[in-house]
Amino acid sequence: MSTDTLTEPPLSDDTPPSASETISAALFASDAVLRFDAETGGILTMNEKAREALDIFSDTYDGLDFTGSITVDGGEPNDIWWQMSAGERSAWTGALVSASGQSMPAMFRGGLSADGAAIDVVAIAGASATAEGGGSDWPLIEPVLGVIEYDADGVITAANDRAVMSLELFGEEVAGRHHDSLWPPSTTQTPAYVEFWEKLRSGRIIEGQHEHVSGTGESVWLQSTFLPIRDDSGFVKRIMQIAMDISDVTHKAKRDELALEAFKSQFAWSELDQEGYIRSVNGAMLDCYGLPEAEVLGKRFDALCDDEFRKSEVFENAWQEVLKRQKYARLSIRHVTSEALKRWMEVTLIPVVESDGEVRKVIQLARDNHDERNHSQSLEAKSGAVDRGLALVEFNLRGEVTSANRKMCEIFGVIPEDFTGVNHVDLCDPEFATTRRHTDFWDKLVAGEVVAGVFRRISPAGATFWLRCVYSPIVEANGRINTILLVAEDVTESHQALLHKEQKLQAVDDFVCMIEYSRDGDVVDAGGTSLKSFGQTAQQIRRKTFSDFCANGGEVSRNDTDMWAGVCRGETVKGEFHRSLEDGNSVWLTGSYSPLYDRSGQVDRIFLVGIDITKARAERIDFEARFAAADSGLAIAEFDIDGSVLSANENLLKYLGHSRREIIGEHHSAFCSPDFVKTDEYREFWLSLARGESWVGRMSHVDRYNGDVHLHSIYCPIRDEKDEISRIVAYSVNETRQTRFERLAVDSADGILSETQRLKTSATMLSSQLAEIATLAQSSREQAERSCENLTTGRAAFETARGSSTEISKVVEVIGDIAGQTNLLAFNASVEAARAGEHGIGFSIVAEEVRKLAERNADAARKITRLVEDADREFESSSRKVDETVDGLRAITKSLNASIDGLASTSEANLANSKVCDGIADLANALCKTGT
C-alpha cells in the first residue's frame, strides 16, 4: 500500500517532514541554492550563500534568468533549459556565472512531477554540487535518511546503513534484490505498481508514504522520495529512494483514527464555541435532544436545558472550570425535549486549547442517562459513600464482568448493560491482552494474589482510560474464589497531563539544550540536544561538572562563580554563555540558569535551558565584520520613503562636509543642485525607488561650501515584514576627482580634434609625396640597372679592342724586323754599288731610297708601337673605370631598393598614424558629446 503525492505539507505535529523538506534543509544549510521558474526560466528565490557567490545584493531578480546565469562548454544555454523544462533531463552538471564573471561548479535538478507537470529547476553550488553517483549522492543526509539505489529495472544496486536498519535486513544481501521484494504482494501485484515504475522510468519524481515488508515480515512505513537520475543521453539509468521511517507515527495515527471513529459512532457529541453556542452536532446528540438540527445549531447549549439547571451554580462552575482552568467537566443535566418532557443527559465538556493557550472551542460529549439516573438515585441511597466515591467492577473467574457500579460506568462512559458480559481481556490494551503477560496476570488473581497499580484500560466503546486499580480476589466461606473485585479510580486526567508534560519536554529537548545540575555543580541529567551540542554521550556528560564546561582551560571565571552563587540563592540568570568542549572547541548558548526547589523550599537543582547559537553568532560576527568593512570604505546613508535622511556614516559626512546633527532629518534634495532637483529625472528617481526598483549611477551633490561632489551610488529599497518599502539605503563611492578629470578631457577635446585633423591632413600629403618619391626611385633604379647592363657590354667591347691592339703590336714588330732587314740590305747594296763604281751608281741610288724607305718604315713601326702601348694603357684605365662605374651603379641600385622598401614601410606607418588620428578624432567627438 502506498500514497503517492507531490510534496505535501505535514498534516499534524505528529507527521514527520517529507524527504524533500529534509533534503532542502540540509542543502540550504551548506550550499548556494537558486530556484528557476519552470515556465519562464526566471529566478524565483535564492538563499544568502547564493547571493554572496553570485554578487547579487538586490531583493528583486528582474532580468535574471537561467540562460543568463549559466555557462555551457560547447553548447547553448537555451538547449539546456529546453531539455530540463521539457523533462528530457532531470539533472545537469554545469557552472553558474557571477555578476563579476566568475564561474563556479553547480548541479541543476528539474524534470517532471508524477502528474507530468514541469518542476522548477533548482541549482546547487557547493559541496552537494559535486556529489555525483554512487554512494555519495546525498552525503549530507545519509546519517538521517535511508538511501536505496536501483537500476532502471528495479534491482537494488546499493543501500546505506540507515535503510538496512529501517527494513531490518541485517545479515542479508540487499544488492541484487528486486524492489517488489520490499513491498507487500497486495501492492506489487496490481496495475498501479506497474504504472509506478513506468513513471519512474519516464523520469518522474514520486514522493509518498509506502508500506514495506521488513526482514522479519513486519509492516514498515517509509516516507519516501524516488528520484530518477538520467545519463548524458537523457535516459533514466538509476533511481534513488530517499526514505524516512514513519512506522510508529503511521501506526499510531491509524489506531487514533480507528479509536476516533469508534468514539464518534458510540457517543453523542457537539462542538461549542468559547461562548457556549453549538456550531456542529451529530445525529446521536440530536436523538438525545429529541430536536431537529435546525433547532439546535446556533443556540447556546444551556438554552436547551430547563431553567432550574441553567440558573444553578453547578452549570456555571462547570463552564468556568472548562474555560478558565481548561479542565474537562462532567455533569448530568436536564434538558427539555420537543414534547416538553424533561430528561436527564450525562454531559462531558472537554476544552480544546489552541497553541496560544486559549480555549477556542469545547467538545460536548453526552448520552441519555435518564433511566440510569433514576436508577442511580435509588442505588445511591443503598450503596452509600463507598459506592459514590469508588468505581467497582466484579469479574467471574473467566474474566467476564458480572456487575459494575455507577462510578465505573461513568468512567467508561457506558451503561451497566453495556458492561455486563464484557471480558477483562477486552478492557485491556491489545498489546498486553494478547500476550502471555495477561495470562500470568489473571493466574495470579485466580491464585488469590492481590494486584495493584496504574493500568491502561479501554472501554467497550473504545475509549482509553488510565485507572489506579486494586484487584482483590474474594474468598468465600468455603475457601473458593469465584469473584474478582476491581476497585478503581480514574486518573486519566493526571496521567494524561503527565504524558503531555513528558511529550512537551521531549519536544523542547529536540531543539533546546537542557542540563540539570546538582547544587554542587555535578551534571545529573542532560537532554539529547545537549549531548549533540557538547559532543558527549549520556554516560560521559554525567561525569562532568559545571566547571568542566567553563572557558579558560576549565577554571571558573569570576563571573561564572558569581552567577552560580546567585542561582543557588534562588536567582534566575539569563544571557549568552560561552562553554568549552573537550576537543578544544567551544559552544555559545543563549538561555537561562534557573533554580529548582525541593519540598522544603530550598534550592536543590540548577536547570540550564539554552539554545545553541554558535553558528548564528559566528554568522552575526561575520556579518558585522562585512558591514564594518563596507562602512569603512563606502559612504552609506539611509532615507525614509519620503527622502529624509535617517542615518549617515562618517565617510558621507566627510564627503559633504556636514555634521551628523546637520544632516539627519534633511531631505535628499538639500544636497543636490537646485537645477537637478527640478528635473523630471530627479522626480522619476524617487518614484522608481518607491516602486521597489534599485537605482545605480553617478549623481552630483553639493557640499556644505557649495562645492561639487560627485558620488557613484546604488540606492536599494528595503522592504519590511509586510513586503512594503520602508526605507532606502544608499552605498556610494566618491568620484569627484574622476569627474573633474573627465571634464578636463572634454574641455581639451576640441583642441585635440583640431590638432588631430591637421595631423591627418599632413599624413595625407606625406602619403602622396611618398608615393611620388617611390615612383621616381623606382624609375632611377630601372635606369641604373640599364646603364649597368650597357657598361657591362662596353667593357666587353674594350676587351675585344685590347686584344686587337695586341695583334697590331705583333704585326708592327714584324714590320720593324722587315725594315731592319731592308735597311741592312740597302746598306749592303750601297757597299756593293760603291765597289762597282760608275756601274753601281744607279743601284746605289736605289739602295739609298730603299734604305730611307726602310728607316721611314722603322719610324712608322715605332710610332705605331707607342700608339698601341698608349692605347693599351687607355684601355686598362677605361676598363678599371668601367668596373668602378658598374660597381657604383650596382650600389646605387641596392640603395634604391632599400629606399623603396623604406618608403613602403613609411607609407604603412603613415597609414597607421592616419587610423590612430581617426580613433583620436572619434574619442574627441565622444568626449565633446559627453560634455554637452
Side-chain angles (χ1 to χ4, degrees):
M1 182 181 296
S2 66
T3 304
D4 297 335
T5 63
L6 295 176
T7 307
E8 295 184 358
L11 299 178
S12 68
D13 295 339
D14 293 331
T15 303
S18 66
S20 59
E21 291 172 337
T22 304
I23 296 170
S24 299
L27 295 180
F28 267 75
S30 62
D31 301 323
V33 182
L34 300 89
R35 185 159 63 94
F36 299 91
D37 184 78
E39 296 182 358
T40 65
I43 294 179
L44 290 176
T45 58
M46 66 174 68
N47 63 358
E48 289 299 324
K49 291 191 177 181
R51 293 175 183 271
E52 295 176 4
L54 298 180
D55 300 331
I56 298 175
F57 304 101
S58 173
D59 289 337
T60 60
Y61 315 116
D62 294 342
L64 300 177
D65 58 8
F66 179 87
T67 57
S69 303
I70 68 168
T71 178
V72 183
D73 293 335
E76 293 295 332
N78 283 329
D79 295 338
I80 300 298
W81 174 250
W82 183 88
Q83 293 172 3
M84 299 201 73
S85 62
E88 292 189 358
R89 176 179 290 188
S90 61
W92 174 69
T93 301
L96 287 168
V97 181
S98 67
S100 59
Q102 299 295 322
S103 63
M104 68 206 72
M107 182 173 61
F108 298 81
R109 297 280 179 180
L112 299 177
S113 66
D115 59 0
I119 298 175
D120 292 341
V121 176
V122 176
I124 307 169
S128 299
T130 57
E132 283 293 331
S136 61
D137 280 89
W138 305 105
L140 294 175
I141 62 171
E142 276 202 346
V144 180
L145 300 177
V147 181
I148 306 176
E149 181 178 333
Y150 307 89
D151 62 17
D153 295 325
V155 178
I156 300 175
T157 58
N160 69 351
D161 294 339
R162 187 72 178 184
V164 173
M165 180 175 63
S166 297
L167 295 174
E168 300 183 17
L169 297 174
F170 307 106
E172 298 186 25
E173 182 62 36
V174 179
R177 295 180 57 169
H178 195 275
H179 173 267
D180 60 9
S181 66
L182 304 181
W183 283 16
S186 59
T187 301
T188 58
Q189 296 177 5
T190 61
Y193 181 75
V194 178
E195 183 181 358
F196 171 84
W197 274 100
E198 289 300 325
K199 289 180 180 179
L200 292 178
R201 294 188 187 98
S202 66
R204 299 186 181 181
I205 299 173
I206 299 178
E207 182 176 275
Q209 298 176 1
H210 308 274
E211 183 181 7
H212 292 65
V213 179
S214 70
T216 60
E218 299 293 332
S219 176
V220 177
W221 283 86
L222 300 181
Q223 174 77 32
S224 301
T225 298
F226 291 83
L227 300 174
I229 300 176
R230 299 176 185 268
D231 56 18
D232 295 336
S233 62
F235 293 100
V236 173
K237 62 178 180 179
R238 55 195 177 99
I239 291 100
M240 301 291 296
Q241 178 185 359
I242 304 169
M244 177 185 292
D245 190 347
I246 58 170
S247 297
D248 293 341
V249 175
T250 303
H251 294 322
K252 181 179 181 299
K254 289 185 176 297
R255 290 195 301 269
D256 292 345
E257 183 180 355
L258 293 175
L260 180 59
E261 291 300 324
F263 173 80
K264 287 184 177 181
S265 65
Q266 296 295 325
F267 281 85
W269 65 272
S270 61
E271 183 178 313
L272 315 176
D273 63 16
Q274 58 186 352
E275 300 297 332
Y277 290 94
I278 300 175
R279 298 306 181 192
S280 62
V281 62
N282 70 347
M285 180 63 81
L286 294 175
D287 293 338
C288 288
Y289 282 128
L291 296 171
E293 184 177 14
E295 296 184 18
V296 175
L297 292 179
K299 288 187 178 181
R300 202 169 189 269
F301 82 100
D302 60 335
L304 302 175
C305 304
D306 66 335
D307 293 340
E308 181 181 354
F309 172 78
R310 185 168 59 252
K311 297 176 181 179
S312 67
E313 292 183 359
V314 175
F315 164 73
E316 187 61 30
N317 293 338
W319 187 246
Q320 293 302 321
E321 184 84 2
V322 172
L323 291 182
K324 293 185 177 180
R325 298 186 182 180
Q326 299 179 355
K327 294 183 178 181
Y328 77 90
R330 181 176 296 154
L331 66 162
S332 292
I333 63 174
R334 284 189 303 176
H335 64 91
V336 181
T337 67
S338 58
E339 292 83 10
L341 299 176
K342 294 183 179 181
R343 291 186 63 85
W344 284 97
M345 181 168 60
E346 185 179 47
V347 173
T348 301
L349 301 176
I350 304 174
V352 178
V353 183
E354 300 290 343
S355 58
D356 59 359
E358 295 293 330
V359 176
R360 301 300 181 189
K361 60 182 178 179
V362 177
I363 302 299
Q364 177 184 227
L365 302 180
R367 66 184 181 89
D368 187 346
N369 67 339
H370 183 75
D371 296 335
E372 179 183 338
R373 182 174 176 84
N374 291 335
H375 181 65
S376 295
Q377 289 175 349
S378 175
L379 291 177
E380 285 176 2
K382 300 176 181 179
S383 61
V386 175
D387 192 48
R388 289 194 301 269
L390 296 176
L392 304 175
V393 179
E394 292 184 4
F395 300 91
N396 59 26
L397 297 183
R398 294 189 300 273
E400 297 170 345
V401 176
T402 58
S403 67
N405 72 346
R406 183 183 59 84
K407 187 68 174 180
M408 183 60 77
C409 291
E410 289 179 356
I411 292 174
F412 280 88
V414 296
I415 59 177
E417 289 77 8
D418 293 337
F419 229 144
T420 303
V422 174
N423 196 286
H424 183 268
V425 172
D426 299 327
L427 301 178
C428 297
D429 187 341
E431 296 179 358
F432 170 68
T434 58
T435 63
R436 179 68 184 177
R437 289 184 300 153
H438 181 271
T439 303
D440 295 339
F441 171 85
W442 198 256
D443 288 344
K444 289 181 180 179
L445 295 176
V446 173
E449 295 184 24
V450 176
V451 178
V454 177
F455 303 101
R456 182 185 178 191
R457 295 295 178 251
I458 300 174
S459 74
T464 300
F465 299 92
W466 288 90
L467 304 177
R468 181 175 286 109
C469 304
V470 177
Y471 288 86
S472 300
I474 298 176
V475 182
E476 297 180 354
N478 57 8
R480 299 182 61 180
I481 298 175
N482 293 320
T483 302
I484 306 297
L485 177 63
L486 167 62
V487 181
E489 179 185 3
D490 185 3
V491 293
T492 302
E493 182 179 356
S494 60
H495 192 275
Q496 193 67 42
L498 180 60
L499 289 178
H500 286 169
K501 289 180 181 179
E502 293 177 353
Q503 293 168 359
K504 291 177 181 178
L505 186 62
Q506 182 61 43
V508 173
D509 184 54
D510 290 339
F511 297 96
V512 178
C513 295
M514 295 188 294
I515 301 178
E516 184 178 345
Y517 297 93
S518 67
R519 186 183 177 91
D520 297 331
D522 297 325
V523 175
V524 177
D525 195 11
T529 301
S530 302
L531 301 178
K532 182 178 179 181
S533 296
F534 284 86
Q536 302 282 318
T537 64
Q539 292 76 14
Q540 290 173 333
I541 203 168
R542 288 194 181 96
R543 295 195 293 267
K544 301 294 182 180
T545 63
F546 171 76
S547 60
D548 292 332
F549 294 122
C550 293
N552 302 323
E555 295 185 4
V556 183
S557 66
R558 179 63 179 272
N559 289 337
D560 288 329
T561 302
D562 294 343
M563 180 207 73
W564 189 261
V567 177
C568 290
R569 291 192 302 269
E571 301 173 3
T572 298
V573 179
K574 301 178 181 180
E576 293 185 358
F577 307 102
H578 185 205
R579 297 296 175 249
S580 61
L581 306 178
E582 284 188 346
D583 58 3
N585 295 321
S586 60
V587 62
W588 281 89
L589 302 176
T590 179
S592 64
Y593 286 85
S594 302
L596 302 180
Y597 300 92
D598 58 16
R599 292 183 178 181
S600 63
Q602 300 296 318
V603 175
D604 182 43
R605 301 290 174 89
I606 310 297
F607 193 56
L608 165 63
V609 178
I611 298 175
D612 188 345
I613 60 169
T614 306
K615 183 178 180 181
R617 190 175 188 275
E619 292 176 350
R620 183 185 68 193
I621 292 174
D622 180 68
F623 173 78
E624 291 173 352
R626 291 172 183 267
F627 183 79
D631 186 65
S632 64
L634 300 175
I636 304 175
E638 287 190 20
F639 305 88
D640 61 19
I641 57 176
D642 295 326
S644 297
V645 178
L646 298 176
S647 65
N649 70 346
E650 293 297 331
N651 288 333
L652 184 64
L653 298 177
K654 180 176 67 176
Y655 295 158
L656 297 180
H658 288 283
S659 66
R660 184 171 282 101
R661 179 178 57 81
E662 294 171 336
I663 200 172
I664 300 300
E666 290 291 334
H667 193 271
H668 178 271
S669 60
F671 310 103
C672 300
S673 63
D675 293 339
F676 176 61
V677 172
K678 297 176 182 178
T679 62
D680 293 337
E681 179 184 356
Y682 185 76
R683 182 168 56 256
E684 178 59 27
F685 164 74
W686 280 106
L687 290 175
S688 64
L689 293 176
R691 291 192 300 267
E693 301 173 5
S694 298
W695 184 90
V696 181
R698 182 185 293 171
M699 184 178 293
S700 298
H701 297 269
V702 179
D703 63 12
R704 182 175 185 176
Y705 308 102
N706 292 326
D708 291 335
V709 177
H710 301 276
L711 301 180
H712 192 280
S713 308
I714 175 172
Y715 286 78
C716 301
I718 305 299
R719 297 181 181 272
D720 57 17
E721 65 276 2
K722 298 179 181 178
D723 200 31
E724 296 178 354
I725 305 300
S726 60
R727 53 198 173 98
I728 311 296
V729 179
Y731 301 91
S732 306
V733 177
N734 192 352
E735 293 187 352
T736 303
R737 292 185 178 180
Q738 180 180 348
T739 304
R740 292 174 180 171
F741 174 76
E742 291 174 355
R743 288 183 176 177
L744 178 62
V746 171
D747 294 340
S748 304
D750 289 336
I752 294 173
L753 182 61
S754 299
E755 186 66 21
T756 302
Q757 293 294 346
R758 187 183 67 78
L759 290 174
K760 185 175 181 181
T761 301
S762 299
T764 302
M765 296 176 60
L766 179 60
S767 297
S768 178
Q769 293 174 358
L770 287 174
E772 294 178 0
I773 293 172
T775 302
L776 293 175
Q778 182 69 21
S779 177
S780 299
R781 183 183 67 179
E782 293 174 355
Q783 291 179 358
E785 289 176 348
R786 287 195 299 271
S787 298
C788 185
E789 292 175 357
N790 293 333
L791 286 175
T792 301
T793 303
R795 188 177 184 282
F798 281 149
E799 291 296 329
T800 303
R802 188 174 181 183
S804 300
S805 65
T806 301
E807 295 297 327
I808 293 172
S809 295
K810 292 180 181 180
V811 173
V812 169
E813 186 177 352
V814 172
I815 293 173
D817 291 341
I818 294 173
Q821 292 295 328
T822 303
N823 190 26
L824 183 59
L825 290 174
F827 179 75
N828 291 332
S830 295
V831 172
E832 292 297 329
R835 287 179 179 174
E838 293 178 356
H839 295 288
I841 293 174
F843 186 75
S844 173
I845 293 171
V846 173
E848 182 64 22
E849 290 298 328
V850 171
R851 185 183 63 77
K852 290 181 181 179
L853 179 60
E855 288 180 353
R856 285 196 297 273
N857 286 337
D859 290 339
R862 284 193 292 273
K863 288 181 180 180
I864 289 170
T865 300
R866 286 195 298 272
L867 290 174
V868 170
E869 290 177 352
D870 291 340
D872 284 339
R873 286 193 295 272
E874 290 297 330
F875 280 144
E876 184 176 358
S877 176
S878 297
S879 178
R880 285 197 302 271
K881 289 181 179 180
V882 168
D883 289 340
E884 291 174 358
T885 300
V886 170
D887 293 339
L889 288 173
R890 288 174 176 171
I892 289 171
T893 301
K894 184 177 181 180
S895 176
L896 286 173
N897 287 333
S899 297
I900 291 171
D901 294 339
L903 287 173
S905 299
T906 303
S907 179
E908 292 176 357
N910 187 61
L911 180 60
N913 289 335
S914 179
K915 292 181 178 179
V916 171
C917 289
D918 291 337
I920 294 174
D922 294 339
L923 178 59
N925 285 323
L927 287 173
C928 290
K929 293 179 180 179
T930 303
T932 57

